Tab-separated table of all heavy atoms in Angstrom:
chain	number	residue	atom	x	y	z
E	1	ARG	N	120.888	53.906	80.817
E	1	ARG	CA	121.635	52.793	81.380
E	1	ARG	C	121.197	52.553	82.812
E	1	ARG	O	120.676	53.443	83.475
E	1	ARG	CB	123.146	53.029	81.320
E	1	ARG	CG	123.650	54.139	82.232
E	1	ARG	CD	125.124	54.394	81.991
E	1	ARG	NE	125.658	55.419	82.880
E	1	ARG	CZ	126.883	55.918	82.801
E	1	ARG	NH1	127.720	55.477	81.859
E	1	ARG	NH2	127.280	56.856	83.654
E	2	GLN	N	121.435	51.338	83.273
E	2	GLN	CA	121.127	50.996	84.650
E	2	GLN	C	122.153	50.009	85.170
E	2	GLN	O	122.367	48.953	84.584
E	2	GLN	CB	119.723	50.412	84.780
E	2	GLN	CG	119.303	50.192	86.226
E	2	GLN	CD	117.818	49.918	86.359
E	2	GLN	OE1	117.182	49.426	85.437
E	2	GLN	NE2	117.262	50.247	87.509
E	3	ALA	N	122.779	50.369	86.274
E	3	ALA	CA	123.730	49.505	86.941
E	3	ALA	C	123.047	48.821	88.115
E	3	ALA	O	122.066	49.340	88.662
E	3	ALA	CB	124.928	50.311	87.430
E	4	PRO	N	123.535	47.656	88.527
E	4	PRO	CA	122.930	46.957	89.663
E	4	PRO	C	122.866	47.828	90.905
E	4	PRO	O	123.855	48.460	91.281
E	4	PRO	CB	123.864	45.760	89.871
E	4	PRO	CG	124.470	45.524	88.531
E	4	PRO	CD	124.650	46.894	87.944
E	5	GLY	N	121.700	47.871	91.514
E	5	GLY	CA	121.523	48.642	92.725
E	5	GLY	C	121.375	50.134	92.519
E	5	GLY	O	121.284	50.876	93.503
E	6	LYS	N	121.366	50.577	91.277
E	6	LYS	CA	121.252	51.997	90.994
E	6	LYS	C	120.021	52.294	90.153
E	6	LYS	O	119.456	51.412	89.512
E	6	LYS	CB	122.501	52.504	90.280
E	6	LYS	CG	123.767	52.450	91.113
E	6	LYS	CD	124.917	53.127	90.406
E	6	LYS	CE	126.157	53.152	91.271
E	6	LYS	NZ	127.283	53.840	90.592
E	7	GLU	N	119.628	53.532	90.173
E	7	GLU	CA	118.497	53.976	89.378
E	7	GLU	C	118.866	54.048	87.902
E	7	GLU	O	120.021	54.270	87.535
E	7	GLU	CB	118.034	55.350	89.855
E	7	GLU	CG	117.606	55.416	91.308
E	7	GLU	CD	116.111	55.402	91.460
E	7	GLU	OE1	115.418	56.009	90.626
E	7	GLU	OE2	115.620	54.778	92.409
E	8	ARG	N	117.874	53.856	87.070
E	8	ARG	CA	118.059	54.043	85.642
E	8	ARG	C	118.345	55.513	85.355
E	8	ARG	O	117.705	56.406	85.920
E	8	ARG	CB	116.803	53.583	84.905
E	8	ARG	CG	116.866	53.668	83.407
E	8	ARG	CD	115.673	52.973	82.791
E	8	ARG	NE	114.424	53.445	83.369
E	8	ARG	CZ	113.251	52.854	83.188
E	8	ARG	NH1	113.165	51.746	82.468
E	8	ARG	NH2	112.163	53.360	83.744
E	9	GLU	N	119.295	55.769	84.498
E	9	GLU	CA	119.669	57.136	84.209
E	9	GLU	C	119.890	57.340	82.715
E	9	GLU	O	120.287	56.435	81.991
E	9	GLU	CB	120.941	57.530	84.962
E	9	GLU	CG	122.165	56.725	84.565
E	9	GLU	CD	123.421	57.157	85.303
E	9	GLU	OE1	123.358	58.098	86.113
E	9	GLU	OE2	124.488	56.544	85.066
E	10	GLY	N	119.633	58.548	82.284
E	10	GLY	CA	119.899	58.893	80.906
E	10	GLY	C	121.384	59.010	80.651
E	10	GLY	O	122.174	59.300	81.556
E	11	VAL	N	121.776	58.788	79.421
E	11	VAL	CA	123.172	58.859	79.018
E	11	VAL	C	123.369	59.896	77.916
E	11	VAL	O	124.138	60.848	78.069
E	11	VAL	CB	123.689	57.491	78.541
E	11	VAL	CG1	125.140	57.597	78.075
E	11	VAL	CG2	123.552	56.450	79.642
E	12	ALA	N	122.672	59.695	76.813
E	12	ALA	CA	122.834	60.564	75.659
E	12	ALA	C	121.536	60.634	74.886
E	12	ALA	O	120.743	59.693	74.887
E	12	ALA	CB	123.965	60.060	74.755
E	13	TYR	N	121.351	61.737	74.194
E	13	TYR	CA	120.112	61.974	73.482
E	13	TYR	C	120.411	62.643	72.147
E	13	TYR	O	121.347	63.447	72.045
E	13	TYR	CB	119.181	62.895	74.282
E	13	TYR	CG	119.167	62.627	75.766
E	13	TYR	CD1	120.100	63.231	76.600
E	13	TYR	CD2	118.221	61.776	76.325
E	13	TYR	CE1	120.097	62.993	77.960
E	13	TYR	CE2	118.205	61.530	77.687
E	13	TYR	CZ	119.142	62.140	78.501
E	13	TYR	OH	119.128	61.899	79.854
E	14	ILE	N	119.620	62.316	71.151
E	14	ILE	CA	119.742	62.992	69.869
E	14	ILE	C	118.349	63.395	69.424
E	14	ILE	O	117.430	62.590	69.393
E	14	ILE	CB	120.464	62.124	68.818
E	14	ILE	CG1	120.706	62.919	67.540
E	14	ILE	CG2	119.701	60.835	68.536
E	14	ILE	CD1	121.741	62.272	66.623
E	15	GLY	N	118.195	64.669	69.105
E	15	GLY	CA	116.909	65.216	68.751
E	15	GLY	C	116.428	64.780	67.386
E	15	GLY	O	117.177	64.211	66.584
E	16	GLY	N	115.173	65.049	67.127
E	16	GLY	CA	114.577	64.683	65.852
E	16	GLY	C	114.928	65.625	64.731
E	16	GLY	O	115.927	65.429	64.040
E	17	PRO	N	114.121	66.656	64.532
E	17	PRO	CA	114.328	67.531	63.371
E	17	PRO	C	115.697	68.193	63.309
E	17	PRO	O	116.276	68.309	62.222
E	17	PRO	CB	113.224	68.581	63.540
E	17	PRO	CG	112.167	67.891	64.326
E	17	PRO	CD	112.914	67.012	65.288
E	18	ALA	N	116.224	68.616	64.450
E	18	ALA	CA	117.475	69.362	64.465
E	18	ALA	C	118.710	68.476	64.508
E	18	ALA	O	119.817	68.958	64.271
E	18	ALA	CB	117.483	70.323	65.647
E	19	HIS	N	118.547	67.217	64.862
E	19	HIS	CA	119.649	66.252	64.960
E	19	HIS	C	120.696	66.645	65.992
E	19	HIS	O	121.841	66.209	65.912
E	19	HIS	CB	120.322	66.059	63.601
E	19	HIS	CG	119.407	65.579	62.532
E	19	HIS	ND1	119.773	65.578	61.202
E	19	HIS	CD2	118.150	65.086	62.576
E	19	HIS	CE1	118.774	65.104	60.480
E	19	HIS	NE2	117.772	64.803	61.291
E	20	SER	N	120.323	67.468	66.943
E	20	SER	CA	121.259	67.886	67.957
E	20	SER	C	121.470	66.782	68.984
E	20	SER	O	120.563	66.002	69.270
E	20	SER	CB	120.773	69.153	68.649
E	20	SER	OG	119.503	68.944	69.248
E	21	ALA	N	122.667	66.735	69.525
E	21	ALA	CA	123.022	65.732	70.515
E	21	ALA	C	123.231	66.380	71.873
E	21	ALA	O	123.792	67.475	71.968
E	21	ALA	CB	124.282	64.986	70.092
E	22	ASP	N	122.794	65.699	72.904
E	22	ASP	CA	122.969	66.174	74.269
E	22	ASP	C	123.420	65.020	75.130
E	22	ASP	O	123.066	63.867	74.885
E	22	ASP	CB	121.669	66.768	74.810
E	22	ASP	CG	121.222	67.997	74.050
E	22	ASP	OD1	121.793	69.073	74.294
E	22	ASP	OD2	120.317	67.875	73.200
E	23	TYR	N	124.189	65.331	76.165
E	23	TYR	CA	124.782	64.307	76.997
E	23	TYR	C	124.668	64.672	78.466
E	23	TYR	O	124.692	65.849	78.833
E	23	TYR	CB	126.262	64.123	76.660
E	23	TYR	CG	126.507	63.830	75.208
E	23	TYR	CD1	126.714	64.858	74.295
E	23	TYR	CD2	126.519	62.523	74.747
E	23	TYR	CE1	126.925	64.590	72.950
E	23	TYR	CE2	126.732	62.241	73.404
E	23	TYR	CZ	126.930	63.288	72.515
E	23	TYR	OH	127.137	63.014	71.182
E	24	GLU	N	124.563	63.653	79.284
E	24	GLU	CA	124.664	63.873	80.712
E	24	GLU	C	126.112	64.181	81.064
E	24	GLU	O	127.046	63.753	80.374
E	24	GLU	CB	124.168	62.663	81.478
E	24	GLU	CG	122.699	62.339	81.239
E	24	GLU	CD	121.762	63.464	81.659
E	24	GLU	OE1	122.088	64.196	82.618
E	24	GLU	OE2	120.687	63.609	81.031
E	25	ASP	N	126.294	64.919	82.140
E	25	ASP	CA	127.632	65.356	82.524
E	25	ASP	C	128.593	64.191	82.741
E	25	ASP	O	129.797	64.313	82.488
E	25	ASP	CB	127.570	66.209	83.783
E	25	ASP	CG	126.963	67.574	83.539
E	25	ASP	OD1	126.879	67.999	82.368
E	25	ASP	OD2	126.585	68.232	84.519
E	26	SER	N	128.080	63.069	83.204
E	26	SER	CA	128.924	61.936	83.516
E	26	SER	C	129.633	61.344	82.300
E	26	SER	O	130.660	60.678	82.445
E	26	SER	CB	128.109	60.841	84.210
E	26	SER	OG	127.047	60.408	83.384
E	27	VAL	N	129.095	61.589	81.109
E	27	VAL	CA	129.681	61.014	79.900
E	27	VAL	C	130.100	62.068	78.887
E	27	VAL	O	130.688	61.728	77.850
E	27	VAL	CB	128.725	60.010	79.230
E	27	VAL	CG1	128.281	58.942	80.220
E	27	VAL	CG2	127.507	60.725	78.638
E	28	LYS	N	129.838	63.302	79.166
E	28	LYS	CA	130.146	64.376	78.229
E	28	LYS	C	131.641	64.413	77.919
E	28	LYS	O	132.479	64.366	78.814
E	28	LYS	CB	129.679	65.710	78.805
E	28	LYS	CG	129.651	66.853	77.807
E	28	LYS	CD	128.994	68.089	78.415
E	28	LYS	CE	127.542	67.828	78.779
E	28	LYS	NZ	126.878	69.043	79.335
E	29	GLY	N	131.958	64.484	76.651
E	29	GLY	CA	133.341	64.493	76.218
E	29	GLY	C	133.913	63.123	75.958
E	29	GLY	O	135.000	63.003	75.373
E	30	ARG	N	133.215	62.079	76.388
E	30	ARG	CA	133.690	60.715	76.198
E	30	ARG	C	132.787	59.903	75.270
E	30	ARG	O	133.267	59.027	74.561
E	30	ARG	CB	133.795	59.993	77.539
E	30	ARG	CG	134.762	60.650	78.513
E	30	ARG	CD	134.961	59.787	79.759
E	30	ARG	NE	133.722	59.632	80.513
E	30	ARG	CZ	133.124	58.465	80.745
E	30	ARG	NH1	133.661	57.335	80.285
E	30	ARG	NH2	132.003	58.422	81.459
E	31	PHE	N	131.491	60.177	75.301
E	31	PHE	CA	130.521	59.426	74.510
E	31	PHE	C	129.986	60.285	73.369
E	31	PHE	O	129.867	61.510	73.501
E	31	PHE	CB	129.331	58.992	75.368
E	31	PHE	CG	129.630	57.918	76.375
E	31	PHE	CD1	130.929	57.551	76.691
E	31	PHE	CD2	128.584	57.277	77.017
E	31	PHE	CE1	131.190	56.568	77.627
E	31	PHE	CE2	128.828	56.291	77.951
E	31	PHE	CZ	130.127	55.934	78.262
E	32	THR	N	129.635	59.634	72.276
E	32	THR	CA	129.045	60.315	71.133
E	32	THR	C	127.856	59.513	70.624
E	32	THR	O	127.991	58.329	70.322
E	32	THR	CB	130.056	60.493	69.993
E	32	THR	OG1	131.192	61.222	70.455
E	32	THR	CG2	129.417	61.263	68.838
E	33	ILE	N	126.709	60.157	70.529
E	33	ILE	CA	125.529	59.519	69.971
E	33	ILE	C	125.364	59.973	68.524
E	33	ILE	O	125.610	61.127	68.193
E	33	ILE	CB	124.269	59.838	70.800
E	33	ILE	CG1	123.062	59.043	70.286
E	33	ILE	CG2	123.972	61.332	70.810
E	33	ILE	CD1	121.826	59.162	71.177
E	34	SER	N	124.952	59.057	67.674
E	34	SER	CA	124.735	59.387	66.276
E	34	SER	C	123.600	58.539	65.723
E	34	SER	O	123.171	57.563	66.338
E	34	SER	CB	126.005	59.190	65.447
E	34	SER	OG	126.429	57.842	65.475
E	35	ARG	N	123.134	58.919	64.557
E	35	ARG	CA	122.009	58.229	63.926
E	35	ARG	C	122.264	58.097	62.438
E	35	ARG	O	122.619	59.067	61.766
E	35	ARG	CB	120.719	59.011	64.200
E	35	ARG	CG	119.483	58.531	63.470
E	35	ARG	CD	118.267	59.334	63.920
E	35	ARG	NE	118.527	60.765	63.840
E	35	ARG	CZ	117.964	61.666	64.636
E	35	ARG	NH1	117.115	61.289	65.583
E	35	ARG	NH2	118.269	62.948	64.492
E	36	ASP	N	122.084	56.900	61.922
E	36	ASP	CA	122.190	56.634	60.503
E	36	ASP	C	120.772	56.426	59.994
E	36	ASP	O	120.166	55.376	60.216
E	36	ASP	CB	123.055	55.404	60.238
E	36	ASP	CG	123.330	55.177	58.768
E	36	ASP	OD1	122.464	55.506	57.931
E	36	ASP	OD2	124.417	54.661	58.443
E	37	LYS	N	120.240	57.420	59.324
E	37	LYS	CA	118.858	57.354	58.879
E	37	LYS	C	118.622	56.262	57.841
E	37	LYS	O	117.574	55.622	57.842
E	37	LYS	CB	118.427	58.710	58.332
E	37	LYS	CG	118.406	59.813	59.378
E	37	LYS	CD	117.963	61.130	58.775
E	37	LYS	CE	117.924	62.212	59.829
E	37	LYS	NZ	117.472	63.508	59.267
E	38	ALA	N	119.582	56.057	56.964
E	38	ALA	CA	119.440	55.046	55.928
E	38	ALA	C	119.331	53.648	56.521
E	38	ALA	O	118.624	52.788	55.991
E	38	ALA	CB	120.594	55.117	54.946
E	39	LYS	N	120.045	53.411	57.617
E	39	LYS	CA	120.033	52.111	58.266
E	39	LYS	C	119.031	52.032	59.408
E	39	LYS	O	118.850	50.961	59.996
E	39	LYS	CB	121.423	51.779	58.800
E	39	LYS	CG	122.484	51.637	57.722
E	39	LYS	CD	123.833	51.311	58.331
E	39	LYS	CE	124.887	51.148	57.262
E	39	LYS	NZ	126.229	50.852	57.842
E	40	ASN	N	118.386	53.162	59.719
E	40	ASN	CA	117.460	53.232	60.847
E	40	ASN	C	118.129	52.700	62.117
E	40	ASN	O	117.560	51.895	62.864
E	40	ASN	CB	116.171	52.460	60.560
E	40	ASN	CG	114.946	53.151	61.142
E	40	ASN	OD1	114.736	54.349	60.920
E	40	ASN	ND2	114.129	52.412	61.882
């Protein structure tokens, strides 16, 4: 994400083979990343 006047920053990530999810501290506990493989 990027807000006006601020640097671009990561928010959430989901790994490939393991499907693990990781979050930046600023959104941890509030945001959830997921992937639907059938729908890509």
Side-chain angles (χ1 to χ4, degrees):
R1 68 186 182 186
Q2 187 167 26
K6 295 187 176 181
E7 301 259 323
R8 182 170 52 192
E9 63 179 359
V11 178
Y13 320 87
I14 186 164
H19 301 168
S20 59
D22 296 282
Y23 305 90
E24 298 299 329
D25 289 343
S26 59
V27 306
K28 193 172 297 182
R30 299 187 297 119
F31 289 13
T32 302
I33 186 172
S34 61
R35 173 176 51 210
D36 187 328
K37 295 180 179 181
K39 296 180 179 179
N40 217 51

